Amino acid sequence: MVFNENNKAIYLQIADKICDDIMLGTLKEGDRIPSVREYAASLEVNANTVMRSYEFLERNGIIFNRRGIGFFIEKEADETIRKMRKETFFSGECDYFFRQLMTLGISPEELAQLFNKYLNDNKK
């Protein structure tokens, strides 16, 4: 995994990667995820960093721990992630995005066309 130099903590970038894997279907509800040590070794980071990621995901209802067995993907984790990311987008990124649209003079119709093109170009 390549970490971004964007001032976002590494443990949050790791959590984002796990969330992305859930959203893409690579990890599914009930799947066991690698142990803290396994994942830390594969990412070449400190185990404490991965543990912080797992604790963050557990607090947010995305994974759960079965003592002595490991961490697993929570039921409806994808919906939980989608809700969390929407809240983040609407509370922060959206304002900047709309300000850029206004500054650049992009109309709602032009934005709709661009978005539809993007969706067509990125169909699975």
Side-chain angles (χ1 to χ4, degrees):
M1 181 174 172
V2 177
F3 297 103
N4 297 324
E5 298 290 330
N6 62 1
N7 294 333
K8 190 170 194 177
I10 290 175
Y11 85 94
L12 291 174
Q13 292 181 52
I14 294 169
D16 283 346
K17 168 73 169 96
I18 293 169
C19 288
D20 289 345
D21 289 344
I22 293 168
M23 298 294 290
L24 293 170
T26 308
L27 293 171
K28 295 177 178 24
E29 181 178 302
D31 283 356
R32 184 181 177 279
I33 58 176
S35 73
V36 169
R37 289 180 196 208
E38 290 170 335
Y39 207 44
S42 72
L43 297 176
E44 299 177 355
V45 298
N46 188 294
N48 291 328
T49 303
V50 173
M51 191 63 211
R52 281 186 76 189
S53 302
Y54 284 15
E55 288 170 346
F56 172 81
L57 294 170
E58 188 175 25
R59 269 193 319 274
N60 285 286
I62 295 166
I63 64 173
F64 65 95
N65 186 8
R66 287 192 184 143
R67 286 250 186 246
I69 299 174
F71 287 92
F72 296 82
I73 306 300
E74 191 68 73
K75 288 182 181 178
E76 299 180 11
D78 56 339
E79 286 301 317
T80 302
I81 296 164
R82 188 171 286 110
K83 181 180 175 191
M84 252 177 45
R85 287 186 172 179
K86 279 184 181 180
E87 287 172 3
T88 300
F89 179 73
F90 288 133
S91 68
E93 298 171 33
C94 202
D95 187 53
Y96 175 78
F97 177 72
F98 287 140
R99 188 172 34 256
Q100 291 301 312
L101 292 174
M102 187 177 69
T103 303
L104 297 170
I106 298 172
S107 69
E109 295 77 20
E110 187 178 359
L111 177 61
Q113 287 176 342
L114 290 170
F115 185 57
N116 285 325
K117 182 184 180 326
Y118 175 84
L119 291 175
N120 287 328
D121 291 348
N122 291 286
K123 285 184 180 177
K124 289 183 180 182

